[in-house]
Amino acid sequence: KLNPILFIVIFFLFSRFFIYYFLQIQPSYPSGQIIDYNFLRENLLDSLINLHFQPFLWNLIFGILYKIFDQNFVFMLSYLANIFISLLIAYYLIKILEYLKLSNKIIFFTVLFFLFNPNTIFYEQYAPHYAHFSLLMMTQLLYFFIKFHETKNFRYEVLSYVNLLVMSYIWLLF
């Protein structure tokens, strides 16, 4: 008997392989979500200090990556990270739904709906946009709140605060 989570992961990876190679839906590289590549690579500190409308931590991460790697490699790395982020969101979603004591069938179809939702696929392809990462942080935050409420474990409270802190530097609307 195949584990439902293992089935979801295998099916998910196969679908992304199919989307990338057979449908040839390739990652797009948006402008406006991160500071200009050359500016980040050459003037990382100036760009972070002077451009306040851009997410600080997100641009710091990409600026460091740009200093180490080629732009195309960074975009491909962010695309693969977005694929991994989708799996992490699905994991936390499963844990949240299990806490709500929903049936395994409802959990299974909810996670499948999330993973194969056109918005999820879009934000995976839209590298290096921070919206997908923000969704991970919000899902993770909800999980930490639930675990803290359930266990009163100080660890989950600290993880919630760290999560909120990271979100405040990644997503400006937060």
Side-chain angles (χ1 to χ4, degrees):
K1 182 177 178 184
L2 185 63
N3 182 328
I5 294 175
L6 182 61
F7 171 76
I8 288 173
V9 169
I10 291 170
F11 190 62
F12 171 79
L13 293 175
F14 175 76
S15 71
R16 292 329 189 251
F17 178 80
F18 181 78
I19 288 169
Y20 190 84
Y21 286 105
F22 293 103
L23 297 180
Q24 296 186 356
I25 299 174
Q26 306 292 319
S28 63
Y29 309 114
S31 60
Q33 301 307 319
I34 57 172
I35 300 170
D36 179 65
Y37 166 75
N38 291 321
F39 198 42
L40 275 177
R41 188 175 177 100
E42 303 301 324
N43 302 311
L44 178 60
L45 290 178
D46 288 342
S47 64
L48 295 175
I49 291 170
N50 295 318
L51 294 173
H52 303 289
F53 64 92
Q54 295 283 351
F56 174 80
L57 187 58
W58 196 248
N59 281 290
L60 177 63
I61 292 167
F62 275 92
I64 291 169
L65 290 174
Y66 285 155
K67 286 189 169 292
I68 299 170
F69 303 109
D70 177 64
Q71 182 179 16
N72 290 332
F73 182 79
V74 172
F75 283 149
M76 187 53 70
L77 186 65
S78 66
Y79 167 67
L80 294 174
N82 280 339
I83 299 272
F84 182 68
I85 285 171
S86 290
L87 289 172
L88 283 175
I89 294 169
Y91 169 78
Y92 285 113
L93 187 59
I94 289 169
K95 292 298 184 187
I96 291 166
L97 296 173
E98 284 175 347
Y99 173 78
L100 296 173
K101 298 179 181 14
L102 298 176
S103 73
N104 287 339
K105 188 182 272 189
I106 291 175
I107 293 171
F108 180 77
F109 285 111
T110 302
V111 171
L112 276 181
F113 177 76
F114 165 74
L115 289 175
F116 297 99
N117 187 312
N119 288 328
T120 302
I121 295 169
F122 172 76
Y123 280 112
E124 285 173 2
Q125 306 298 322
Y126 201 47
H129 197 282
Y130 55 88
H132 206 53
F133 182 77
S134 297
L135 179 60
L136 168 65
M137 297 303 288
M138 285 185 231
T139 309
Q140 194 177 51
L141 180 65
L142 179 59
Y143 172 74
F144 292 153
F145 280 154
I146 288 171
K147 289 301 282 185
F148 178 69
H149 176 72
E150 182 180 42
T151 65
K152 303 295 186 230
N153 187 332
F154 181 68
R155 180 178 131 209
Y156 292 111
E157 183 179 12
V158 170
L159 288 171
S160 298
Y161 294 137
V162 169
N163 189 293
L164 288 168
L165 182 66
V166 169
M167 258 200 296
S168 69
Y169 285 107
I170 291 287
W171 190 31
L172 297 179
L173 292 176
F174 190 78

